[in-house]
């Protein structure tokens, strides 16, 4: 059951050297229009969500869930923004930001990047969103390797080694030939967004795992299919066309 609309665009290159040939509007919306999307796993149809939905939480991880409960849907815990964050060479980098726990930006203080997150086209400050943050020692650390929190609120081990938190929150997002996306943190290029003990189960803990493929493309087991908010079919098994 493939419910996504089709678009007339072809060979749209976003996030890497692989062209988008699936005509999937969700990938275009996520990477170019920065619209919130569900991140549905390729293997069992579970979706990525923060372990804690409240805006005050900055030290909890990420889960793969197979049931979309009303509380999660109401809090927008199933939705993520993939926000542009600069470049790594010629590759665009992104923040993976949760739509749950979004807070309005406070009045900007001069020279303070933490409080002024930029302004939209209408001149109003952009909301502050909790980002997917990587542990400095991931993936070899046995501790939880991912947190969802604001840059200035995450723990010391989730801050960048050069003193800034942002480099632990930047991801290479690569579009795969089969129409999905793969996440690689720039602080650990030999790792990939995966799951505890390399197993994919319902309500499992998301971790960084070694990317045995050895490059930025990853493997199908660690691929996510972006789904626009009107696509509620979870689990989502039939993703190939």
């Amino acid at each position: 059951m493939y419910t996504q609309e089709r678009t007339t665009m072809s060979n749209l290159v976003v996030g890497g050297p692989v062209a988008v040939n699936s005509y999937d509007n969700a990938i275009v919306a996520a990477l170019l229009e920065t619209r919130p999307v569900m991140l549905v796993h390729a293997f069992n149809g579970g979706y990525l969500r923060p372990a804690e939905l409240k805006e005050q939480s900055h030290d909890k991880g990420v889960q793969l869930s197979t049931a979309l409960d009303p509380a999660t849907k109401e809090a927008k815990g199933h939705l993520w923004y993939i926000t542009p964050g600069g470049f790594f060479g010629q590759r665009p980098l992104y923040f993976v930001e949760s739509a749950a726990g979004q807070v309005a930006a406070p009045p900007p203080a001069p020279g303070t990047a933490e409080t002024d997150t930029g302004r939209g086209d209408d001149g109003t400050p952009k909301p502050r969103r909790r980002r997917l943050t990587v542990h400095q020692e991931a993936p070899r650390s046995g501790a939880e390797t991912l947190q969802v929190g604001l840059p200035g609120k995450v723990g010391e081990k989730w801050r960048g080694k050069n003193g800034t938190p942002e480099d632990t929150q930047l991801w290479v997002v690569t579009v795969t030939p089969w129409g999905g996306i793969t996440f690689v943190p720039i602080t650990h290029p030999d790792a990939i967004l995966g799951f505890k003990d390399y197993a994919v189960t319902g309500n499992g803990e998301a971790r960084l795992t070694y990317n045995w493929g050895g490059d930025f493309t990853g493997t199908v087991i660690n691929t996510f299919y972006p789904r626009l908010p009107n696509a509620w079919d979870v689990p989502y098994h039939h993703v190939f066309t």
Side-chain angles (χ1 to χ4, degrees), residues 104-118:
T112 305
E114 169 62 21
T115 56
D116 190 359
T117 56

Side-chain angles (χ1 to χ4, degrees), residues 7-14 16-24 28 32 175:
T7 180
T8 57
M9 289 184 285
S10 63
N11 295 326
L12 176 67
V13 178
V14 286
V18 181
V20 178
N21 293 318
S22 65
Y23 310 102
D24 194 335
V28 177
L32 297 186
V175 181

Side-chain angles (χ1 to χ4, degrees), residues 165-236:
E166 284 76 15
D167 59 357
T168 57
Q169 299 171 330
L170 286 168
W171 299 77
V172 176
V173 181
T174 300
V175 181
T176 63
W178 43 83
I181 54 179
T182 298
F183 297 94
V184 176
I186 64 167
T187 52
H188 305 286
D190 59 343
I192 201 167
L193 181 61
F195 302 95
K196 181 180 178 181
D197 302 323
Y198 307 99
V200 180
T201 59
N203 296 318
E205 180 184 337
R207 295 252 185 118
L208 286 190
T209 58
Y210 286 105
N211 177 21
W212 303 114
D215 57 20
F216 283 116
T217 59
T219 59
V220 68
I221 194 67
N222 289 323
T223 293
F224 293 87
Y225 290 92
R227 289 290 162 255
L228 292 170
N230 61 345
W232 299 122
D233 294 339
V234 176
Y236 198 99

Side-chain angles (χ1 to χ4, degrees), residues 80-99:
W80 299 85
Y81 290 88
I82 305 177
T83 308
F87 288 88
F88 177 66
Q90 295 183 348
R91 287 179 177 271
L93 299 173
Y94 297 89
F95 298 112
V96 185
E97 300 180 319
S98 174

